[in-house]
Amino acid sequence: MGEAPVFYVENLKDRFSNGFNLRFKGFETSIDVGDKTFVIGSSNNDSISSIEVQIYDKSRGKWVIPTVLGTEPKRYEGHSAILLNEDRIMVITWGSTPDDCIWFLEVDTEYVKQQKKASGTEVVAWSKGVRGDADKPVVISGPSGVGKGTLINMLMKEFPTMFGFSVSHTTRAPRSMEKNGVHYHFTERSIMEKDIKDGKFLEFASVHGNLYGTSIEAVEAVADSGKRCILDIDVQGAKSVRASSLDAAFIFISPPSMAKLEERLHLRGTETEEQIQKRLRNAKAEIEQGKSSGIFDHILCNDHLEKCYDDLKKLLGLDGTTSTNPKPSSKGINLPSKHAVSKINSKILIKSETPGSGNPSKNSIVLDVSLLKGGAPSRTRGLNVYAVDPNPFSDSLNGIHKLS
Ligand SMILES: Nc1ncnc2c1ncn2[C@@H]1O[C@H](COP(=O)(O)OP(=O)(O)OP(=O)(O)O)[C@@H](O)[C@H]1O
Ligand SMILES: Nc1nc2c(ncn2[C@@H]2O[C@H](COP(=O)(O)O)[C@@H](O)[C@H]2O)c(=O)[nH]1
């Protein structure tokens, strides 16, 4: 069954020819969501062009400038926009690189609703689209010394192209073998506190007397590399991530006994006796919470390391029953710079607006958004992009033949 293509992009200048004082100097699009019109426009200041958002509240007849969360798209020549699921606007920037051209402005997702409630203001949030099928992040938690880091290192060594580590920030001093930017971003408390206040952290917690936290940027960096993100965080952090809109798998590692945990901390030799005792006191509460709070999807006991590692791999589908070959990549496909966008079901057709510009496979692209995962406050994953051979007799996607 063919359906009429839906093209929501309208030019505000045609629609509101007078009366509204938009501060955009260049290109803008407007999208209606319920009783609000979201106007996305370029504001040019000499060399830099970035995207800004204004909302027209039709029921109140008022313009609102929302709080904009997340990193917004940079430098573009123009953009197309289309509404998805009544809660996010897909923005395709013109002339950006393949890795940087698909963005989502979330206007009514769970995350945005939470932020609106918390701030009492109008909020929208940017999330960059990442091509491909990277699986959801994995949160690994458990008491200090249980072996989280050891298990994660084994995983990253065996599957280097599959997993990426979310490098946390901490105010604790580096251990002798630890490198800044690799094991942690070692930082001063005042700087970290300011960044937390500025909304740069997905979660943070005071752990054993120091501040630890996962920046949104750390998780985004892994998603951008196309890898599955692994977070090594304490139980309080896991609880915060669980309450956030980051869709993740939560695994708790428990020790075989407190005596074994103490022995491991002593053998590791990275803390003073006083610090070890503090970590052991905290461990009791963490184990209780880990096992009973319902935060975690899975609990693994790290008694014998190899056995625990095998169990972890099974949980992650890496026990040989699932292919670990890299999934086909759509990373290299360029979107036509100036284009028209239409939507049928979960497929967005992008057609070049530059006539006679050569190979049709370069001009017509389909974005399949049926498997979107994640979103603000991190990346939106699961975007599949392919070139198509458009049927010249039909504007509907029924006539499209996949090329790649
Ligand atoms: N199953 C195991 N049996 C014996 N020793 C282990 C086992 N797993 C890990 N270890 C050892 O225990 C010590 C603590 O492990 P690791 O540093 O990985 O713990 P962690 O959970 O990451 O701790 P922290 O939260 O403090 O960073 C290390 O010396 C490691 O080699
Ligand atoms: N809530 C968070 N906890 C974190 C983060 N990074 C690490 N951790 C946890 O802290 C303790 C101690 O770590 P150590 O390196 O000092 O031994 C451990 O349980 C980690 O899981 C974070 O970003 N957020």
Side-chain angles (χ1 to χ4, degrees):
M1 275 281 287
E3 289 178 50
V6 188
F7 185 41
Y8 289 101
V9 183
E10 298 164 60
N11 195 312
L12 245 210
K13 287 191 186 101
D14 302 336
R15 186 138 180 247
F16 303 116
S17 54
N18 54 39
F20 297 113
N21 187 14
L22 287 169
R23 54 187 180 150
F24 306 134
K25 285 190 196 156
F27 185 93
E28 69 257 359
T29 53
S30 74
I31 300 270
D32 286 343
V33 187
D35 58 3
K36 290 177 186 151
T37 303
F38 290 81
V39 184
I40 305 168
S42 67
S43 96
N44 295 302
N45 69 27
D46 296 341
S47 56
I48 297 174
S49 148
S50 63
I51 292 186
E52 289 189 22
V53 184
Q54 293 184 38
I55 303 171
Y56 182 64
D57 185 335
K58 289 182 267 182
S59 60
R60 293 191 296 151
K62 275 194 174 160
W63 285 98
V64 181
I65 298 190
T67 302
V68 182
L69 301 175
T71 318
E72 67 198 30
K74 279 189 233 87
R75 282 205 154 278
Y76 72 105
E77 294 159 11
H79 67 264
S80 310
I82 200 158
L83 181 66
L84 300 183
N85 302 330
E86 297 293 313
D87 63 4
R88 71 196 68 204
I89 298 164
M90 183 184 222
V91 172
I92 305 167
T93 59
W94 298 353
S96 306
T97 59
D99 278 350
D100 204 33
C101 58
I102 302 167
W103 291 78
F104 296 88
L105 181 71
E106 299 195 4
V107 297
D108 201 30
T109 56
E110 275 314 306
Y111 174 67
V112 166
K113 283 180 189 159
Q114 279 172 14
Q115 300 299 317
K116 277 186 198 171
K117 205 171 159 193
S119 68
T121 60
E122 193 61 66
V123 174
V124 293
W126 286 107
S127 170
K128 188 161 98 169
V130 181
R131 301 185 192 192
D133 298 329
D135 288 313
K136 61 184 170 187
V138 187
V139 171
I140 297 192
S141 201
S144 177
V146 73
K148 302 179 296 294
T150 307
L151 289 162
I152 292 170
N153 285 340
M154 290 165 85
L155 208 53
M156 307 262 295
K157 208 167 163 195
E158 190 176 354
F159 304 100
T161 58
M162 196 173 275
F163 295 99
F165 185 61
S166 156
V167 181
S168 294
H169 282 63
T170 182
T171 59
R172 87 150 160 74
R175 294 175 187 145
S176 58
M177 301 300 285
E178 285 179 333
K179 289 201 182 97
N180 192 27
V182 176
H183 299 94
Y184 280 106
H185 297 288
F186 295 100
T187 180
E188 277 176 36
R189 184 173 277 267
S190 58
I191 296 174
M192 191 163 164
E193 282 173 348
K194 181 173 182 310
D195 286 347
I196 290 170
K197 217 169 156 192
D198 290 346
K200 293 187 182 164
F201 280 79
L202 175 64
E203 64 76 33
F204 61 92
S206 175
V207 190
H208 320 310
N210 283 299
L211 205 51
Y212 292 77
T214 308
S215 69
I216 293 171
E217 204 177 323
V219 178
E220 286 179 346
V222 180
D224 288 354
S225 70
K227 296 182 183 177
R228 189 169 190 186
C229 184
I230 302 193
L231 290 86
D232 172 347
I233 58 178
D234 86 318
V235 174
Q236 305 168 76
K239 200 172 171 182
S240 304
V241 177
R242 180 59 109 178
S244 81
S245 48
L246 187 85
D247 182 24
F250 293 78
I251 301 173
F252 184 79
I253 313 289
S254 80
S257 66
M258 287 303 289
K260 285 259 172 95
L261 190 65
E262 181 162 6
E263 187 183 289
R264 286 178 198 175
L265 282 172
H266 277 124
L267 282 173
R268 189 171 73 181
T270 48
E271 276 73 36
T272 63
E273 184 57 31
E274 196 186 333
Q275 286 165 340
I276 288 177
Q277 292 311 319
K278 192 174 200 174
R279 286 179 179 233
L280 288 170
R281 279 194 299 278
N282 292 339
K284 286 192 181 130
E286 288 195 277
I287 294 166
E288 240 165 65
Q289 268 207 304
K291 289 187 171 170
S292 65
S293 61
I295 301 169
F296 296 95
D297 305 309
H298 308 281
I299 298 175
L300 294 179
C301 177
N302 182 17
D303 190 353
H304 302 288
L305 184 59
E306 288 303 332
K307 162 88 175 59
C308 186
Y309 181 55
D310 283 346
D311 290 345
L312 178 63
K313 285 198 288 184
K314 268 186 209 140
L315 282 185
L316 298 174
L318 302 169
D319 56 343
T321 56
T322 322
S323 164
T324 55
N325 293 333
K327 293 172 179 155
S329 166
S330 54
K331 270 183 176 289
I333 298 176
N334 277 309
L335 304 190
S337 187
K338 289 209 168 168
H339 54 249
V341 189
S342 54
K343 176 176 180 286
I344 303 264
N345 298 327
S346 57
K347 293 196 172 60
I348 316 286
L349 178 63
I350 301 173
K351 278 186 178 173
S352 172
E353 281 196 335
T354 319
S357 55
N359 185 348
S361 68
K362 285 192 178 144
N363 298 340
S364 293
I365 304 288
V366 167
L367 294 182
D368 184 340
V369 291
S370 59
L371 296 172
L372 289 189
K373 299 170 211 159
S378 182
R379 301 303 197 215
T380 302
R381 296 168 286 118
L383 256 181
N384 287 308
V385 183
Y386 49 89
V388 288
D389 180 9
N391 179 340
F393 303 109
S394 169
D395 250 352
S396 87
L397 293 191
N398 292 337
I400 278 171
H401 308 286
K402 207 165 164 174
L403 293 176
S404 58

